Amino acid sequence: MPTYVLPQVLVFQDFQTVPSVVANPLRSHISGGHAFLLRYSDDDEQPFGRLGYYDDAVETCYLWPERPAGGQVDYDYTKVWIKDALLEYHADPISSGSMTTKVSGYNNRIRSATTNFKTNGIFARNSSLYDRDVQLGDTVRLRVQPTGGDPVYMWSYVKDLIGDDEDAVITAATSDAENPGTQVQGATITQMKGAENCITLTADTDVYDGLEDGFVTETYTIKVLASSINGNLSTARLRVISASGEDDVLELNPQDSGDQTAIGNRGLLITFADQDTAACSQSADIDSVNYNDLIAGQEWQVVVNQSWTEPVATEGGIYDDDNDTTYIIEVTNGGLFTDSPQISVTTTNGIDLSGPTTVTAAGEDVSVGSKGVTVSFSGNGLRKGDRYYIEVTGIKEGPMRTIALANNIPSTVPADSEVGVTLYIRRPLLQIGVNKQGFAPQVNWEQSETELCLQSALIAYDDTWTDEGVPLPLDVKSEPSQDFGVLYVEYRAWRSNLAFEVGAIRDVGELNTLIDGALHPDNPLKWGIFKALSNSNGTEVKYTAVQHPEDAEDWVDMLELLLGRDDVYGLVPLTRLRIAQDLIAAHVDSQSSPENGLWRVCWFALQGVPEIPIIHAGSTVSGYIEATTDNEAVALATFEDDILTSGQQFTLMRVPAGNANFIYNNVRPGDVVRSLWVGDGFGTFTYTEFIVDEVQSEDQIRLLTGPAAPQAVPSKIEIWRNLSPTEEALEIARDAGAWNNRRIRAVWPDRIESGGTIQEGYHLAAALAGLTSGVLPHQGLTRLQVAGFSDVPRTFKKFNRPQLDSMSVAGVWIVTQDLFDGKIFTRHAVSTGDYEDINQREEMITRNVDSISYRFKDHFEPYIGISNVTPSMQTLLEFEVRRLVEVLRTERFTRQLGGQLIQGQIVSLRPHLTLKDRYVLFLDVTIPYPFNNFEIHLVI
């Protein structure tokens, strides 16, 4: 491939364009479909597409509204819409066994005895509603029976959903695990330290009471700080330390032997006594202490248990709130009930509190918070610090069985009387597809050249109406009294009135006069002419309609109209139909011969190539693949477990027949396998895609992920490759280069934007053809601005410079955009001819030579047939040749462009040696070439 050289020096200039009157302009000719459009989205066109109200009971046929005489309907364009369509999803007729009634006290409420219209917590919607709750705004039809009258229907919509009231729940009160349990009265005394002699301790716990402080069990440590003297125990000094730290005595003198001494302030009494025995006396002698005195350093531990029966808390009252919480009840002042103990109440979420509250008796109901809950206690008192808990569940909406309507039911309908109810999803605008999906081969509608026939019992789908995610069909309904279910058709018909002539237009102001229909890309001919006129600098644009753009014969008919005409030059077919392009390419070559002398070029729009088939059978269109019956040409594969990888994953794809040749066909990681086709019954198939991870042999591939289950029966596969921008650029270049013809211009991008309207690349081709006609024949279009477009992301956002270069060297005429000022311009004006031959590569060369050829033809045409081959005529011809050469050198001369000819020298002019009625002229001419590059060598 030759090295591409991009024209340099990025200086944008407004070149001088052709004068308003020029000889023999190279006019563009635009051909394509001339459309009558009836679109729902167009406010002016929409009313004409109104067909009336949909009738679900009978098939109805409609003549195509406003169809022009001879108009051929474009079946692929047709759409059927229903405005405010009703999709019925729930019906509960009167006497159906499921009772729905008017709610007493409300004129706008109905309640079902059995149907939960919406999931609410544990109360699930009815299974007949599948995955969808009844929703606000859903349409409602009621059949009601007024007193003394006939049944009537009324319409409304769901304003609200109301649940049945569920009472609050108060659960059983519980005790904190740290609360002390029931215990018997008593005490244990243990000497911990000091001399052991004949002094003994006994405890009296009859009056011990620790409730107020919260200690029904306490551990006291009694320490002897100073010894008693001569057996008088009251002369000793003691210290009392409580384990709680709440009942300490720093110093006290005990009572004498045999008398009770108060320990702390809760009623514990201890008797110190001299209980002489030989054993204790002997022990005292050993320790050298008095056997009948309290000795400093002695220490006793007394564990006291108050007689205590753990109170049982019992909940009560009626909770009056809709919040869930847990009440925390704490005894903040303990004591026997006769001592008026108190409780304080808080909640886990802070919504309520109370206290301190006095409890005066067992079984007394005491308020817990302020929302109606109470508690009572058993036993004879409360211990400070004890905690109790009551969990409450607030008042809740229960099953959602009541619908509040936006309109009132007639007051003559008795309360609690049964009503019939039907619920609908109302779709403001519903498109009805041609196929009745899920019911193949039934269709929703059919079309012919003269009419559209809508079947009865249409079905449609809604994203919200599914069963575990699987879409379910819904019956389509209408209601004329409510203006629900109005049918509209949207269609395009190809007009024929401009298909039998070559028209001409010079100004966009004439568009609506000369070309019928909307100015929109969906009306290709008018839009293409508009783009050509927007760039033609006042040069006339020629046009011809093609009766049906998908019919090759109609393109042949169009080309027949151009035979013998010298007033058309740049042919632009507004189509990507390859046979039409082939016909036009052949026409251009034929007419550009010396014999016909009607030099022409043509402009074709290229198409993006985002993916290519590697192993393929059939053809793909928009993600669907047509089934093939030629199984011998189809690779059939199984999907098996990869035993070299832990677990089960069915990622080994194998072709048992051995006809895939994965390595030979250059399958590579990242390629996409299409398999497991599923038909819809209408001739289209969807497939599942898997990614190639490793090509292991000619017949086996490991996939990145496989199907959910093994596939032991071989099924058809295809392998496709998503192309990188570099690969796609090469494919586009290959498509353009296949023409290899200096008279063919292959235009990129394939889609271009104009004020937010995305249009096909052939409308850009029309603009370029118009621009070509509006400049001097020897002016190149490289870097010349193209009017009428606003954005070309398919060029500068999709491809980088090397990728665009690879396209240009193959002959792709690329239109791009200046990132700074937003101007749309030609990157390099090239043909698909041989890039290495500048005479074929540069489109201006062909255009200028064609213009010169027309000038020579036109200049000498008057002499043909009325003159003779004589010396005097030869002299006249020599004079006229020199005169015409001078005109071509000077007539369209500009400082930047020069003339169409730089010079022309007659080499010879003589009669033909054998054809006696013919002169032969050999003229050596020099023509201008585009200034594409400027070499500047700075020699230092």
Side-chain angles (χ1 to χ4, degrees):
M1 178 179 291
T3 301
Y4 176 74
V5 179
L6 177 70
Q8 304 296 313
V9 187
L10 304 180
V11 179
F12 294 88
Q13 298 178 343
D14 294 324
F15 292 96
Q16 177 179 337
T17 54
V18 68
S20 58
V21 178
V22 297
N24 166 39
L26 302 176
R27 299 177 183 86
S28 60
H29 177 270
I30 313 301
S31 58
H34 178 209
F36 166 79
L37 296 179
L38 200 56
R39 295 165 294 171
Y40 183 87
S41 60
D42 187 281
D43 291 341
D44 293 331
E45 298 169 14
Q46 183 189 106
F48 298 102
R50 190 180 191 276
L51 302 178
Y53 293 100
Y54 161 62
D55 187 339
D56 66 296
V58 296
E59 176 187 1
T60 308
C61 293
Y62 306 88
L63 294 176
W64 294 109
E66 305 294 319
R67 183 174 67 90
Q72 299 184 38
V73 176
D74 178 4
Y75 292 160
D76 292 336
Y77 191 88
T78 305
K79 297 180 180 66
V80 175
W81 305 95
I82 300 183
K83 182 180 179 182
D84 291 319
L86 299 178
L87 306 184
E88 181 181 324
Y89 71 89
H90 175 78
D92 182 10
I94 291 176
S95 301
S96 64
S98 173
M99 180 74 74
T100 301
T101 56
K102 177 183 177 183
V103 176
S104 178
Y106 297 92
N107 280 329
N108 71 329
R109 292 187 182 182
I110 58 173
R111 182 183 182 277
S112 172
T114 57
T115 300
N116 294 352
F117 295 116
K118 178 181 178 181
T119 293
N120 184 30
I122 64 172
F123 304 102
R125 77 180 74 84
N126 267 49
S127 59
S128 63
L129 297 174
Y130 298 104
D131 298 340
R132 186 186 192 274
D133 292 332
V134 173
Q135 296 181 8
L136 304 187
D138 285 353
T139 298
V140 182
R141 186 187 72 167
L142 294 183
R143 185 175 187 267
V144 296
Q145 178 71 60
T147 300
D150 295 327
V152 297
Y153 288 98
M154 67 163 287
W155 291 82
S156 188
Y157 61 87
V158 178
K159 182 180 179 182
D160 199 5
L161 293 166
I162 301 165
D164 295 348
D165 285 340
E166 289 290 308
D167 293 337
V169 176
I170 304 174
T171 59
T174 58
S175 299
D176 192 288
E178 298 298 320
N179 292 357
T182 298
Q183 61 187 25
V184 297
Q185 176 182 319
T188 59
I189 301 174
T190 306
Q191 184 173 352
M192 306 299 291
K193 294 181 181 178
E196 295 184 4
N197 56 10
C198 294
I199 300 298
T200 61
L201 279 67
T202 57
D204 182 353
T205 60
D206 289 346
V207 295
Y208 179 82
D209 184 2
L211 293 178
E212 184 176 353
D213 293 337
F215 299 97
V216 293
T217 296
E218 182 67 280
T219 299
Y220 292 96
T221 300
I222 302 173
K223 294 184 177 182
V224 179
L225 300 180
S227 302
S228 61
I229 300 172
N230 298 324
N232 184 1
L233 301 184
S234 64
T235 60
R237 287 187 298 112
L238 307 178
R239 174 170 292 172
V240 177
I241 300 173
S242 62
S244 67
E246 299 291 327
D247 199 21
D248 296 346
V249 180
L250 292 178
E251 189 171 320
L252 67 100
N253 296 109
Q255 298 298 316
D256 201 1
S257 178
D259 295 328
Q260 292 182 325
T261 300
I263 301 298
N265 300 304
R266 299 174 186 154
L268 174 63
L269 299 175
I270 294 294
T271 299
F272 297 92
D274 176 15
Q275 299 289 337
D276 294 340
T277 65
C280 69
S281 299
Q282 183 179 4
S283 175
D285 289 340
I286 294 173
D287 292 337
S288 300
V289 296
N290 293 332
Y291 66 89
N292 58 355
D293 277 312
L294 290 168
I295 308 300
Q298 287 179 322
E299 186 175 306
W300 288 269
Q301 183 183 78
V302 182
V303 179
V304 180
N305 289 324
Q306 180 179 348
S307 176
W308 176 246
T309 300
E310 181 181 8
V312 176
T314 302
E315 75 289 343
I318 298 175
Y319 182 55
D320 184 20
D321 197 89
D322 56 6
N323 289 293
D324 300 342
T325 193
T326 298
Y327 281 99
I328 303 170
I329 304 166
E330 183 174 3
V331 179
T332 51
N333 188 15
L336 299 174
F337 291 132
T338 55
D339 297 327
S340 301
Q342 293 179 323
I343 61 172
S344 294
V345 177
T346 58
T347 56
T348 52
N349 56 4
I351 66 167
D352 199 10
L353 57 84
S354 64
T357 302
T358 300
V359 183
T360 61
E364 175 190 8
D365 288 331
V366 179
S367 292
V368 174
S370 61
K371 300 182 184 296
V373 180
T374 63
V375 69
S376 62
F377 299 94
S378 64
N380 57 1
L382 301 175
R383 186 189 78 90
K384 180 181 180 181
D386 278 357
R387 287 190 173 195
Y388 304 88
Y389 305 99
I390 300 176
E391 184 179 348
V392 292
T393 301
I395 301 170
K396 301 296 183 185
E397 278 190 325
M400 307 292 280
R401 294 178 177 173
T402 299
I403 294 177
L405 304 171
N407 306 91
N408 284 339
I409 302 170
S411 58
T412 55
V413 176
D416 299 322
S417 64
E418 185 177 8
V419 299
V421 59
T422 307
L423 300 178
Y424 307 90
I425 300 169
R426 185 176 71 85
R427 293 282 292 273
L429 187 62
L430 174 68
Q431 182 177 355
I432 301 296
V434 61
N435 294 326
K436 189 174 285 189
Q437 296 295 334
F439 298 87
Q442 299 179 46
V443 296
N444 287 320
W445 47 269
E446 297 177 293
Q447 53 187 330
S448 68
E449 293 182 2
T450 58
E451 63 183 3
L452 171 76
C453 290
L454 202 69
Q455 303 299 314
S456 60
L458 295 181
I459 62 105
Y461 292 85
D462 187 87
D463 290 343
T464 65
W465 190 250
T466 59
D467 183 7
E468 296 183 353
V470 178
L472 297 173
L474 291 164
D475 292 330
V476 181
K477 303 292 183 179
S478 66
E479 178 51 48
S481 68
Q482 304 297 312
D483 206 25
F484 292 147
V486 183
L487 274 170
Y488 289 85
V489 65
E490 177 173 330
Y491 80 101
R492 174 166 67 182
W494 299 117
R495 301 174 187 264
S496 60
N497 58 308
L498 299 179
F500 309 108
E501 62 183 16
V502 177
I505 185 170
R506 188 179 298 276
D507 190 276
V508 293
E510 300 176 296
L511 265 174
N512 288 335
T513 301
L514 298 177
I515 314 294
D516 295 325
L519 183 59
H520 189 273
D522 286 354
N523 185 4
L525 184 65
K526 189 168 185 176
W527 190 258
I529 294 170
F530 169 54
K531 292 303 175 183
L533 285 173
S534 299
N535 290 274
S536 68
N537 193 36
T539 299
E540 191 176 60
V541 173
K542 299 290 186 176
Y543 59 86
T544 302
V546 177
Q547 277 193 280
H548 200 295
E550 296 300 312
D551 189 337
E553 290 299 323
D554 287 348
W555 287 99
V556 172
D557 293 342
M558 181 276 296
L559 290 174
E560 286 183 358
L561 296 174
L562 303 184
L563 296 177
R565 301 184 67 108
D566 63 359
D567 59 349
V568 296
Y569 180 71
L571 307 188
V572 184
L574 302 174
T575 183
R576 286 198 176 89
L577 186 66
R578 184 59 186 230
I579 189 170
Q581 294 176 340
D582 289 340
L583 287 168
I584 290 172
H587 169 89
V588 165
D589 282 341
S590 172
Q591 294 299 297
S592 299
S593 66
E595 292 77 14
N596 287 321
L598 299 173
W599 297 276
R600 293 171 182 176
V601 298
C602 54
W603 302 77
F604 297 151
L606 293 169
Q607 179 66 60
V609 191
E611 60 184 8
I612 59 172
I614 306 301
I615 296 174
H616 171 256
S619 60
T620 66
V621 180
S622 301
Y624 294 95
I625 185 157
E626 299 175 2
T628 175
T629 57
D630 182 12
N631 286 330
E632 292 182 357
V634 178
L636 304 176
T638 61
F639 295 84
E640 305 167 2
D641 182 34
D642 180 5
I643 61 174
L644 299 180
T645 303
S646 60
Q648 276 196 326
Q649 56 288 304
F650 308 105
T651 54
L652 288 187
M653 186 182 76
R654 187 170 59 86
V655 178
N659 64 340
N661 299 324
F662 294 134
I663 297 174
Y664 176 81
N665 285 306
N666 193 31
V667 177
R668 68 191 189 195
D671 286 346
V672 178
V673 175
R674 298 175 179 177
S675 188
L676 308 182
W677 273 269
V678 178
D680 66 355
F682 297 101
T684 57
F685 292 76
T686 57
Y687 50 79
T688 303
E689 292 187 340
F690 307 102
I691 306 301
V692 174
D693 186 34
E694 180 187 17
V695 180
Q696 297 180 331
S697 71
E698 288 285 12
D699 305 312
Q700 182 164 300
I701 283 175
R702 186 181 68 217
L703 304 172
L704 200 59
T705 59
Q711 305 293 321
V713 177
S715 61
K716 182 178 69 173
I717 63 164
E718 292 184 349
I719 299 181
W720 288 71
R721 179 166 299 155
N722 294 323
L723 298 183
S724 68
T726 296
E727 292 170 328
E728 184 173 1
L730 292 175
E731 289 295 325
I732 294 169
R734 186 177 294 112
D735 288 347
W739 293 109
N740 191 28
N741 188 328
R742 69 185 178 94
R743 297 196 172 277
I744 296 178
R745 289 88 176 90
V747 178
W748 182 266
D750 54 352
R751 294 189 300 279
I752 190 168
E753 183 176 335
S754 175
T757 300
I758 305 299
Q759 57 213 270
E760 296 292 344
Y762 44 68
H763 289 124
L764 172 62
L768 292 171
L771 181 61
T772 299
S773 72
V775 299
L776 293 170
H778 56 305
Q779 177 181 334
L781 267 64
T782 296
R783 305 202 174 279
L784 197 61
Q785 184 175 355
V786 184
F789 303 99
S790 59
D791 197 13
V792 285
R794 299 277 294 169
T795 297
F796 70 89
K797 291 182 180 178
K798 184 175 182 64
F799 298 116
N800 60 28
R801 175 171 171 169
Q803 292 157 358
L804 293 173
D805 288 350
S806 69
M807 294 161 63
S808 290
V809 78
V812 179
W813 183 310
I814 297 172
V815 172
T816 188
Q817 188 167 16
D818 189 288
L819 299 182
F820 296 100
D821 60 20
K823 289 182 179 179
I824 309 295
F825 65 94
T826 291
R827 189 174 187 264
H828 189 182
V830 295
S831 77
T832 61
D834 184 1
Y835 177 81
E836 293 185 321
D837 183 350
I838 191 172
N839 291 327
Q840 294 197 47
R841 177 187 75 211
E842 297 292 331
E843 71 81 27
M844 182 271 283
I845 302 298
T846 295
R847 176 159 44 92
N848 189 33
V849 172
D850 286 346
S851 175
I852 293 170
S853 299
Y854 271 115
R855 291 301 292 273
F856 270 89
K857 176 187 173 185
D858 294 343
H859 191 81
F860 292 102
E861 188 71 28
Y863 298 106
I864 301 300
I866 63 171
S867 305
N868 293 330
V869 178
T870 64
S872 60
M873 186 61 200
Q874 181 169 329
T875 301
L876 177 60
L877 290 177
E878 289 178 359
F879 172 78
E880 291 298 329
V881 168
R882 291 189 178 94
R883 187 162 74 90
L884 180 56
V885 167
E886 186 62 22
V887 169
L888 292 171
R889 289 181 63 250
T890 60
E891 179 186 51
R892 299 173 179 178
F893 180 90
T894 72
R895 185 176 183 85
Q896 290 172 293
L897 301 177
Q900 280 189 264
L901 281 180
I902 296 175
Q903 65 179 16
Q905 182 68 40
I906 296 176
V907 177
S908 69
L909 174 61
R910 57 174 175 76
H912 195 280
L913 296 179
T914 58
L915 302 175
K916 300 301 184 179
D917 61 348
R918 180 176 300 193
Y919 273 105
V920 178
L921 169 66
F922 287 91
L923 184 66
D924 186 5
V925 299
T926 303
I927 59 174
Y929 286 89
F931 178 21
N932 284 340
N933 299 90
F934 186 15
E935 289 192 20
I936 301 175
H937 299 269
L938 301 179
V939 181
I940 308 301

